[in-house]
């Protein structure tokens, strides 16, 4: 099926295309290409301004969940 399993950090495995240069997911706005649909989805948010992850403490919004989690550290000492 064109997919191989590769070890990541010695424990997990992830499926990668055999042809590592393939970038089948293309942004319809700027034509930038990506290897995964997830990467394309996050990229499109740069064009649309969508920020689906919101801080419960201050209301600041983020395009990526990991950015929101990093931001949350500023609130740790305020509780």
């Amino acid at each position: 099926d064109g997919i191989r399993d590769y070890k990541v950090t010695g424990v997990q495995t992830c499926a990668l295309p055999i042809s590592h240069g393939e970038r089948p997911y293309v942004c319809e706005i700027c034509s930038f290409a990506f290897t995964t649909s997830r990467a394309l989805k996050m990229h499109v948010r740069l064009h649309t301004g969508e920020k689906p992850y919101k801080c419960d403490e201050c209301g600041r919004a983020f395009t990526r969940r990991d950015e929101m989690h990093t931001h949350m550290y500023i609130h740790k000492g305020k509780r």
Side-chain angles (χ1 to χ4, degrees), residues 12-68:
Q12 302 170 325
T13 61
C14 63
L16 295 176
I18 290 174
S19 174
H20 296 273
E22 283 185 40
R23 292 176 177 256
Y25 302 95
V26 180
C27 176
E28 293 179 359
I29 299 168
C30 71
S31 300
F32 200 86
F34 299 88
T35 56
T36 65
S37 61
R38 182 177 177 217
L40 172 61
K41 184 177 180 178
M42 286 190 293
H43 167 80
V44 169
R45 289 178 183 158
L46 296 174
H47 296 298
T48 64
E50 178 188 12
K51 294 183 177 185
Y53 304 102
K54 190 172 182 179
C55 174
D56 292 333
E57 297 285 327
C58 69
R60 185 172 173 189
F62 302 88
T63 57
R64 295 183 359 212
R65 186 171 51 182
D66 64 309
E67 292 174 329
M68 182 194 64

